Amino acid sequence: MLFDTRRRVMALEERILVLEAEGQSALAPSVLEPAQVVHAPAEAPPPSTPTAVARRSPWTEMVAEPEVAREPEIVSDEPIGQADYVRPAFGFEELFGRRLPIWAGGVTLAVAGVLLVKYSIDSGLLSPVIRVLLGLIFGAGLIAGAEVALRQEERVRDARVRQSLAGAGLATLYAVILAAANLYHLVGPGTAFVGLAGVTALAMGLSLRFGAPSAMLGLVGGLAAPALAGADEPNIPLLSCYLALTIGGLCALSRTQRWMWLGVGALIGGAGWGSLLLLSGALDLASSLSVGLLILAIGFAFPLFAFSGSRATLIRAVSAVVASAQMAALIATGGFALLHWALFGLLSVAFLWLSGREPPLRRLMPVGLAVGLLLAGAWPAPAASSFTLVVLGLAMIYGGGALWRLWRPSGGLIEAGQVAGVALGSFAVSVLHFYRGSAADDLRFALIALVASALPAAAVAIGWRNPARRDDARATLLATSSAILLVLAGIFGLAGWTLPLSVGIVAVALLLLATRAGDMRIEYSGWAFAFTVVTSLVSGDRGLAELGRLAGLGADAAPGIALLRWSGVALALMLFAWRARLTEGRLVAQIVATFCAYGAVAQVVPVLWLAPIVAMGLPLLAEGARRLPPLRLLPALATLFLLTFLWAAEPLLSWIDPAMLSLLGRPMLVSLLPDRVDMLLRLALPAALIALAVIRGKQAIGAIGRQLAVIAVGLFGMIALHILYKQVFAIPDHAAFVQTGLAERTLWEGLLIMAGWAAWRRFSQREIALTLVAAGFAHNLLYTLLLHNPLWAAQAVGSVPLFNLLVPAFAIPLVGLWLAGRMAPDLAERSTRYRDGVHMVLILLFAFAMLRQLFEGSMLNLPHLSAGENIGRSVLAIALAVGFLLWGIWRGGREWRIASLMLMLVAAAKVFLLDASGLTGLLRIASFLALGFSLIGIGWLYSRYLRSDAD
């Protein structure tokens, strides 16, 4: 600020010089501008005319004597005559030759005075009284010299001379008074204090005459005087009065001279003194009053008086904040006496008045309110009457003022925050001090919360018809604070289990208020309370117990209360899902409302019937959704579907576990499957209800929803049918699995394929039909032909040749392939090669299984192999090879012919390498004959029918 002031003063001086020069030019027309060009007329030279040449620069101005211009050329711009005032440019000479020596001289004079006094002390020439008197005379002489320099301004022509002399004189007077009090003890602290105060007043007066350096010395000396006086136990009221006068005088001087730095320094020093006085210990009544008034003066009165302009608001705001902090410290150190609270009331009134006078300072009001509430909260063991008086005073000053200004053009969110802060903060500090947990306290504080909620509610009512209500969040802030207090009233005044209901009522009230007011911000607040409703519902021991009922755990001792809680929350959220304007919020509310409605049912319905009741809600809700826009109730339907799936999870997992192990070859015994009741209530019945919901509410669930529902119906239905089917054979152990496992699988696979055929022929459902046929085929391929094939697994096939389980077991996949080809001919054409391969494998397995059954009976996996069966395998292989070849020739299937050759090669290798080595006599001859004729026949067939086959 000092550098800025110096720069502005220099610019002002330059402008004054320019204006003075222009004025002189107007009075003397002969004065020319710098480097002005004068041209003579072309006809004849002008007569002799006295012409003055002047030269100006931003730093210099020189006026020259008249000179006759004889030549019609550029007039010389050299100055002629004596300069009236020269101001050289700033440089080395300016700094070290002109500026610093003057100030150094002033400092030197002050040091000389100190050295003179020191010399007199060391030599013993002068007594202490004489020394002090001479010092006073010397200081006064320096000040007198400054006055002489001022009066001889025409000769001195430099303001720094008088400023340095005055500064040195004031410093000498300060030093002499301090020496008289602290070094020589000629005067007491009080007298020294008065003397220092007088010098400070003199400094402020001299600053008006000599400039800012005197004011600087007055600032430092005036603020340091109380400490330098040396009193051990100062008179705090007197000291406060002195500081107020000194700081006020400095601020007044700052305003008149426009020295902002002086006022700011005075305020900083005053704030420092205020802090020191507060730290000095407990103050009596008079001291507290004087310090409090000093804080008020420094925080509000002096900044308001001393400053103006753009920076004044910032200075006043900082001063007010510091004053509020110091006033809080005064109250805290003074034992929270009512006098101190009264001073804080004055501070609050000053806040209110200042914010009304300067609108930017409205932000200070929440600061004062926060400090007041914090102090009230920190008040140790307050009396009820005193506490009530203080809180009412805060409410009247901050709440009343904010309420008066709230809906005016100058009002805004700050005032709304004050009203809300008064209501919430007053209740909070009251609970902090006086709540003891008794029933009487509960009722009392419930009433207090209701009364407190009336203040922001009244503020909303006052501004209801105000056109500016929707411009900002004032109404939302007030409505939210009132809602919080209403919830607190319910917490104190009602039973604990009613919390979700009371919060739900408040949330619905905010939603309806938002709808009526057309303000989405209030609805957002309602959503926050709706979230609180759900949180309070499931929190605590009761909430956790009721939440466990949703999964069928435990039993509620008070199901009626639980039903009321969950149904009340469900109704509140349903209203949000119906009336709210926030789209995403409606979706969430619909989901949570459905969940809470299920929770209400779960509190009173036996666990066994929860799954079918939830599933029953799907068609009912789908029926109702038909009268609404498409997908309007999709979140609720999805929630019910998820709950249905969760209830089906236990039987599903109980089925999936042995099903997964069956993929590794472990039998799926009936003892490992879910109970039939669980299967019916959690799988079969939900599957039927989901299917009904899909039929009745196609538009309500959309295309993706229908696909998911169909998948769920198929999954639940198939698993339920499988569990039900497993009860028919009821295979309990491995021994029973060996005897009836193949029959159980064969019948199940046949039923799947028949169901697929029925779905195709009777209902024209090709996708479902293909799915069922594929399931039957895959089941046969995995379990009958791979894992539990009678050729290598212990499975009874029956003892009667040709009339046993092998025929249907191997016929089922063939039928399945045939049906799949009929249902999807395009797919069958693309997969002909793979289908032929499956046919070949099935024929080979069936043929060799039947050969094994002829020789071994029902159990085919026995290790015994007779010679006749061994020869029969070779003959069978040759016969199959011939059959494959004939089929390939007839159908034109190259794959069949290749398979025939490969099978013949295997048979030939077996006969030559294995069979012939173990046979003798006619058997060996017969085997070779059979093989030879077979090879000849195959060759003949190839040569007869495939001559033109280029491949």
Side-chain angles (χ1 to χ4, degrees), residues 23 90 141 174 195 356 517 631 679 786 806 826 839-840 892:
F90 183 79
Y174 276 121
L631 306 181
M679 178 272 296
L786 182 62
L806 290 176
D826 53 343
H839 286 156
M840 296 174 196

Side-chain angles (χ1 to χ4, degrees), residues 122-391:
D122 295 339
S123 303
L125 299 177
L126 302 174
S127 65
V129 177
I130 299 301
R131 298 169 192 166
V132 170
L133 289 176
L134 290 177
L136 293 174
I137 293 172
F138 181 70
L142 290 175
I143 295 174
E147 179 66 23
V148 172
L150 176 63
R151 294 178 180 274
Q152 299 296 323
E153 175 65 18
E154 294 80 3
R155 297 182 179 181
V156 177
R157 303 193 63 79
D158 198 326
R160 285 175 287 274
V161 174
R162 57 180 181 266
Q163 291 173 353
S164 62
L165 291 175
L170 290 171
T172 301
L173 292 178
Y174 276 121
V176 168
I177 294 175
L178 290 174
N182 299 329
L183 182 61
Y184 303 129
H185 304 290
L186 297 178
V187 296
T191 305
F193 179 74
V194 173
L196 292 174
V199 176
T200 300
L202 178 62
M204 287 188 285
L206 293 178
S207 66
L208 297 175
R209 191 162 182 81
F210 298 135
S214 300
M216 176 66 72
L217 287 172
L219 172 65
V220 176
L223 294 176
L228 298 177
D232 295 332
E233 296 182 359
N235 188 326
I236 292 181
L238 181 61
L239 177 59
S240 300
C241 183
Y242 164 76
L243 289 172
L245 292 175
T246 302
I247 297 170
L250 292 172
C251 289
L253 184 62
S254 171
R255 182 179 182 86
T256 56
Q257 298 299 106
R258 299 186 180 276
W259 292 336
M260 181 177 288
W261 58 268
L262 182 62
V264 172
L267 293 177
I268 294 174
W273 268 111
S275 300
L276 290 175
L277 294 177
L278 293 173
L279 294 174
S280 61
L283 304 176
D284 56 16
L285 181 62
S287 300
S288 299
L289 183 61
S290 60
V291 172
L293 293 177
L294 175 65
I295 292 173
L296 285 172
I298 296 173
F300 288 95
F302 295 156
L304 184 65
F305 171 74
F307 304 104
S308 61
S310 59
R311 300 178 184 176
T313 301
L314 177 62
I315 295 174
R316 289 169 189 155
V318 174
S319 301
V321 172
V322 173
S324 62
Q326 290 184 336
M327 190 65 73
L330 176 63
I331 294 174
T333 57
F336 294 87
L338 288 181
L339 173 64
H340 301 154
W341 281 110
L343 292 173
F344 187 81
L346 290 177
L347 178 80
S348 302
V349 172
F351 269 124
L352 182 62
W353 179 81
L354 190 61
S355 64
R357 186 178 182 273
E358 297 187 29
L361 295 179
R362 290 167 43 241
R363 298 179 179 87
L364 294 177
M365 293 299 294
V367 175
L369 177 60
V371 172
L373 291 175
L374 289 175
L375 285 173
W379 193 348
S385 57
S386 301
F387 182 84
T388 303
L389 185 62
V390 169
V391 171

